[in-house]
Amino acid sequence: MKKEGLFDFDTLVERRGTASLKWDRYRGRDIIPLWVADMDFQSPPAVINALQQRIAYGVFGYTLPPEELNEVVVGRLASNYDWIVKPEWLVWLPGLVCGLNVTCRAVGEDDDDVMTVVPVYPPFLTAPGNSRRNIIKVPLRERQNRWEFDFDRIEKSITDKTRLFILCNPHNPIGRVFTREELSTLAGICHKHDIVICSDEIHCDLVLDRDKIHIPTATLNAEAAARTITLMAPSKTFNLPGLGTAFAVIPEKNLRRRFIKAMAGIVPGVNALGYTAARAAFAECAEWHAALLEYLRGNRDTVAQAVRRIPRLSMAPLEATYLAWIDMRATGLENPAVFFENAGVGLQDGAEFDGPGFVRLNFGCSRILLEKALQRMTAAMEKSPSGS
Ligand SMILES: Cc1ncc(COP(=O)(O)O)c(C=O)c1O
């Protein structure tokens, strides 16, 4: 895994034939899959070692969240985010989407309203309906090549049945890391209208801009802490989504009780290997993480350069995540993702995120593969710039 003293993100790992969701979509077709958000890299060596040891032990009984893991998480939140969390505030989950759905079930009643800003990660759009809540979607706005909240519109869209706001920060797919000021304004509105905040912070350790920091919503002030359910996971950063491990941080006792009650009998515990991987990832992989961020910065710049060169494509600066949100509205293409699929690149259509006219490109892959995909996209646009 080490190459010239550095971690190796360049070598292509064969993922075909491994039941990979990302790669199997295009089985038998020459389409480079840059869609669903997992990376093509192997997990950090320390994670692989820990899993090998756990497997060698060979007993896979029902497993509690290891105390040591809780301590590691508490320590990490304190050192990375100045967030002092008590171990009992942590609720482990077999996935973060599960946490979004549990939150919708735990907060409010049937027919209440849940607000979010769009475009957004698709499960945000379906979670409220899954729990018989109505969704209120408020568009983010683009100003001077930057996506931001439209606070007036958010406040005007709040109804007397709005009980929950689901926030994604850092934001998938627009790649923003919201500032303290933005988060404080949003939390202030939620406080004023007595709205619980569910803050999906799964991408918090993937901030690429060196001058930006992730601020957990719950650290803003005591009121925000008391009304926020924070969802986090090691899965994006350390490439472990197949191990189904995430957690909620819920400081307020009653909110936590409601959340745990909504899980009862439905949500299984995290599997033993997920806990093992999470502990190793959080405790032993700082160097790998730093190297990953460096590699992803290079990939982000490669994508941004290619997009700049292709007429009629554009992209706002991407501050975090390995997901680029590319504006194709000027091409007039009706189905931009299908257009690129026909050119041999599998992207995700913005319409799935409530952002038609855009595509989302996952650059969590080796540079060589990314460059090949960008060449295919460039050639396709040159051949058919109007998309006709
Ligand atoms: C914002 C966001 N939340 C949640 C998830 C998925 O979490 P999980 O696989 O733990 O359900 C993703 C995956 O891309 C994501 O981008």
Side-chain angles (χ1 to χ4, degrees), residues 241-319:
L243 291 179
T245 308
F247 60 93
V249 187
I250 315 174
E252 209 282 317
K253 200 166 68 243
N254 291 320
L255 196 52
R256 190 165 66 247
R257 196 177 40 76
R258 271 152 59 198
F259 187 91
I260 292 169
K261 195 168 162 218
M263 291 167 64
I266 304 173
V267 178
V270 172
N271 70 87
L273 297 182
Y275 285 134
T276 300
R279 198 212 56 81
F282 286 146
E284 297 173 31
C285 300
E287 244 187 281
W288 184 93
H289 180 211
L292 171 76
L293 290 180
E294 200 47 41
Y295 197 83
L296 292 178
R297 284 184 194 110
N299 278 4
R300 170 190 62 178
D301 298 344
T302 303
V303 173
Q305 271 163 22
V307 167
R308 262 198 302 276
R309 279 199 300 264
I310 304 174
R312 281 184 273 249
L313 258 54
S314 64
M315 184 179 133
L318 183 84
E319 300 167 354

Side-chain angles (χ1 to χ4, degrees), residues 333-348:
L333 281 163
E334 234 172 82
N335 285 307
V338 171
F339 173 79
F340 283 131
E341 212 171 87
N342 291 335
V345 184
L347 305 177
Q348 230 158 330

Side-chain angles (χ1 to χ4, degrees), residues 71 91 108 169 260 387:
E71 282 161 23
V91 183
N169 181 42
I260 292 169

Side-chain angles (χ1 to χ4, degrees), residues 37 95-98 121 124 168 172 200 202-203 233 235-236 241 246 323:
L96 201 137
V97 169
C98 165
Y121 176 59
F124 277 50
C168 190
N172 170 11
D200 175 339
I202 197 169
H203 295 281
S235 50
K236 295 293 140 188
L323 307 163

